Amino acid sequence: MQLYKNHTLKIYNSLSGEKETFTPIHAGNVGMYVCGPTVYSNVHLGNVRTFMSFDMIFRYFLHLGYKVRYVRNITDVGHIVDDVDDGEDKIAKKARVEQLEPMEIVQRYTVDFHDVLTQFNFLPPSIEPTATGHIIEQIEIVKQIIDKGFGYESNGSVYFDVVKFNETNHYGKLSGRNIEDMLANTRDTDGQSDKKNPQDFALWKKAEPEHIMRWPSPWGVGFPGWHLECTAMSTKYLGETFDIHGGGMDLKFPHHECEIAQNEACTGQSPVNYWMHANMLTLNGKKMAKSTGNNILPSEIYNGGSPFLSKAFSANVARFFMMQAHYRSILDFTNDGILAAEKGFNRFMEGLDIAKGLQPGSTSTLDIATWKQNCYEAMNDDFNTPILIAQLFEGIRFVNLLNDEKETLTADDLKTLQETLHSFIFDVIGIKDEKDDANSSEKLDGVVDMLIGMRNEARANKNFALSDQIRDQLLALGIQLKDGKEGTSFSIQ
């Protein structure tokens, strides 16, 4: 259903600093690019919150009936330590420390990233490109920037000329920075840099002999700058101008500012209509940081292994907790906070169970149409999930009133209440329906038990060919049968 035709969606645009009515470039279609992880370490809970915000946004667009191309990249080269132009690539450094190939590091932490997001019930993006898979495209963009007069080669590296660009464009418009102030506040020792200006940033870096990750280019052997990959991949899959670019608040400068400059240098136009930034997650009022120990890994939430938590919590509860804050607000993660979220989550799930068994009446004494509209208005106001959740709890209050026979709903209104609760909590908020998993497990158990019975009958009739066929085909599906004194059991491999 094309619900978007009946809804006006407002999005806070970081570029204008205002909420703006969302109008896609192509009617009924959304192109969204979100900066993904640099895969040199385990994904932390703050990263999860950022990606969860855009998973929710992706889900709501789908719910409204848009056709969405959601691109989220994997940074597997080019991200220099401390986000500067000099020093080691984060992945190359980790590979050197652990004495592994860089792609071993990339594989290990990409798998971890996907495992964590699966645990939290993320939808996969439409495309998940890697920086190393788009070296050719990045080199071509560097050539274009040089040809337009905004890039220069120096000692085997290529830099973006920020001062030259700022003569005809505005470098700093996303972050609200002024180039003159930036230059005045930057100290750069003469003779120690290949840059014309301290604010210039690397498009292509010369690879020193000890640098592991390296590719040939017109300027010598090297590797791409961190900012370049997102320009290459976003425009390749979404076009020179697309609808939404998202990421964490910390990426606004310099990463996204540099992306805008690169795109405008190549095409002469702004690359993105709506810039969206998700805010950070703190822990007990302080910034999360591995170096200080003020940090929780996602796995420590559901295995109870963190000293900051009194018990283990399900990934569903953690997701529900995070959705209770607006994506642009700082969220403080505390033990008391997630305990309260767990109570609310359990109350909500109990209400959903009660809703399934409600019976309709002949009249409606509750205004379900207005309540449903309030749910949509919350999400249409820049994806305001805390207001949505408050409305959903109002829906659960309705459920309890109906269950206590204090109110009544017609069959149509009752169906609207049930379907609205279900679609917003599972499809939009992204809570995993654990009862569906349980039902699927029960059905699988029943099917396998039936096949075990057929196999036992085949063995009793000495039809060993059929018996072996059932065993082998189940094994091919990852289900291993185990014959014992108590009968035949099975395990999923």
Side-chain angles (χ1 to χ4, degrees):
M1 293 178 62
Q2 296 177 335
L3 297 177
Y4 61 83
K5 292 183 177 180
N6 302 319
H7 293 275
T8 300
L9 175 61
K10 297 274 190 177
I11 294 178
Y12 182 86
N13 191 344
S14 297
L15 191 60
S16 67
E18 298 177 351
K19 290 180 186 177
E20 300 176 4
T21 299
F22 176 68
T23 305
I25 295 170
H26 303 289
N29 293 266
V30 177
M32 182 169 74
Y33 184 92
V34 173
C35 291
T38 301
V39 283
Y40 73 102
S41 65
N42 296 107
V43 62
H44 61 73
L45 199 59
N47 300 139
V48 171
R49 191 212 172 183
T50 296
F51 297 127
M52 188 180 292
S53 295
F54 289 102
D55 180 66
M56 171 271 296
I57 290 165
F58 178 36
R59 286 171 173 273
Y60 189 58
F61 278 126
L62 293 175
H63 174 77
L64 290 179
Y66 282 103
K67 181 179 180 181
V68 187
R69 177 173 289 177
Y70 174 24
V71 183
R72 188 186 65 212
N73 71 301
I74 295 287
T75 297
D76 56 357
V77 70
H79 194 166
I80 305 300
V81 175
D82 297 327
D83 300 346
V84 295
D85 282 333
D86 296 310
E88 284 189 277
D89 177 289
K90 289 186 174 184
I91 291 162
K93 180 180 179 180
K94 191 64 173 282
R96 178 177 57 78
V97 170
E98 298 197 14
Q99 296 184 320
L100 295 171
E101 282 290 329
M103 285 300 113
E104 288 183 88
I105 297 295
V106 166
Q107 178 69 9
R108 174 191 298 175
Y109 295 115
T110 299
V111 169
D112 170 72
F113 174 68
H114 288 149
D115 286 348
V116 169
L117 267 54
T118 298
Q119 191 75 29
F120 284 93
N121 199 35
F122 280 61
L123 296 177
S126 313
I127 304 173
E128 194 172 48
T130 63
T132 55
H134 296 77
I135 298 295
I136 293 173
E137 290 87 345
Q138 293 179 75
I139 289 174
E140 288 303 310
I141 289 175
V142 177
K143 289 179 182 178
Q144 290 179 49
I145 292 173
I146 292 174
D147 289 344
K148 295 291 179 68
F150 296 116
Y152 60 92
E153 188 270 337
S154 178
N155 193 28
S157 294
V158 181
Y159 295 96
F160 189 95
D161 194 331
V162 170
V163 174
K164 178 70 178 298
F165 174 79
N166 200 62
E167 291 175 359
T168 52
N169 298 269
H170 181 189
Y171 181 79
K173 62 183 177 182
L174 178 65
S175 58
R177 303 189 183 207
N178 181 285
I179 186 67
E180 288 77 16
D181 293 338
M182 286 189 274
L183 290 170
N185 294 326
T186 304
R187 296 175 61 188
D188 191 37
T189 305
D190 290 342
Q192 292 189 356
S193 175
D194 296 325
K195 302 178 185 180
K196 290 181 181 179
N197 310 289
Q199 292 301 323
D200 295 350
F201 58 88
L203 298 170
W204 185 265
K205 286 291 291 180
K206 176 183 178 181
E208 300 301 329
E210 66 274 10
H211 199 89
I212 307 172
M213 306 179 82
R214 51 206 295 133
W215 289 265
S217 80
W219 316 283
V221 175
F223 57 96
W226 171 36
H227 314 305
L228 190 62
E229 62 173 288
C230 289
T231 293
M233 291 185 281
S234 62
T235 55
K236 175 170 182 174
Y237 297 110
L238 298 175
E240 290 184 353
T241 302
F242 53 95
D243 296 307
I244 296 172
H245 193 314
M249 199 76 75
D250 57 316
L251 297 180
K252 189 181 290 188
F253 187 88
H255 185 51
H256 291 161
E257 200 75 73
C258 294
E259 279 192 64
I260 292 174
Q262 290 168 162
N263 281 78
E264 290 186 354
C266 288
T267 67
Q269 60 187 10
S270 182
V272 179
N273 286 347
Y274 305 88
W275 284 91
M276 301 182 68
H277 291 93
N279 219 323
M280 71 171 67
L281 183 70
T282 58
L283 177 60
N284 295 322
K286 298 178 182 178
K287 182 179 179 180
M288 281 198 186
K290 292 180 182 178
S291 57
T292 63
N294 195 58
N295 182 59
I296 295 180
L297 289 175
S299 60
E300 290 177 322
I301 293 175
Y302 36 84
N303 67 22
S306 171
F308 296 105
L309 298 177
S310 58
K311 60 188 283 292
F313 297 89
S314 72
N316 258 349
V317 168
R319 182 166 184 131
F320 190 73
F321 168 78
M322 293 194 204
M323 289 289 106
Q324 288 181 310
H326 191 271
Y327 78 92
R328 287 193 291 113
S329 301
I330 293 175
L331 173 61
D332 190 37
F333 191 96
T334 65
N335 185 67
D336 288 345
I338 196 168
L339 279 170
E342 184 178 53
K343 289 180 181 178
F345 174 80
N346 290 337
R347 183 158 59 91
F348 195 94
M349 292 298 116
E350 289 168 4
L352 281 182
D353 281 343
I354 293 171
K356 294 175 184 176
L358 294 175
Q359 298 300 313
S362 57
T363 60
S364 290
T365 58
L366 295 168
D367 189 351
I368 296 302
T370 298
W371 167 78
K372 179 180 177 180
Q373 184 60 31
N374 290 340
C375 290
Y376 278 102
E377 285 181 1
M379 287 301 290
N380 291 339
D381 183 18
D382 193 32
F383 310 98
N384 201 323
T385 55
I387 299 299
L388 171 65
I389 289 173
Q391 289 296 333
L392 294 179
F393 272 115
E394 178 71 358
I396 294 300
R397 188 178 74 85
F398 291 170
V399 167
N400 291 326
L401 289 171
L402 293 165
N403 190 51
D404 293 339
E405 299 182 352
K406 294 179 179 178
E407 305 282 357
T408 61
L409 288 178
T410 62
D412 286 345
D413 279 348
L414 178 59
K415 183 180 179 182
T416 297
L417 174 64
Q418 293 167 330
E419 290 181 347
T420 302
L421 285 170
H422 188 279
S423 62
F424 273 108
I425 195 67
F426 294 120
D427 299 340
V428 177
I429 296 296
I431 297 301
K432 188 175 185 179
D433 193 344
E434 293 173 334
K435 285 190 168 54
D436 280 356
D437 286 351
N439 290 337
S440 296
S441 179
E442 289 177 7
K443 290 175 182 177
L444 175 63
D445 291 350
V447 171
V448 175
D449 286 342
M450 179 184 70
L451 290 170
I452 288 173
M454 293 172 62
R455 178 171 174 264
N456 289 339
E457 184 178 350
R459 294 169 76 184
N461 295 331
K462 299 188 184 300
N463 188 349
F464 298 114
L466 178 58
S467 169
D468 291 346
Q469 183 182 8
I470 293 172
R471 179 199 63 202
D472 294 343
Q473 289 188 356
L474 284 172
L475 185 61
L477 294 171
I479 300 171
Q480 184 175 27
L481 300 184
K482 298 177 182 178
D483 295 317
K485 293 181 180 179
E486 304 298 323
T488 302
S489 60
F490 73 92
S491 63
I492 300 175
Q493 306 300 305

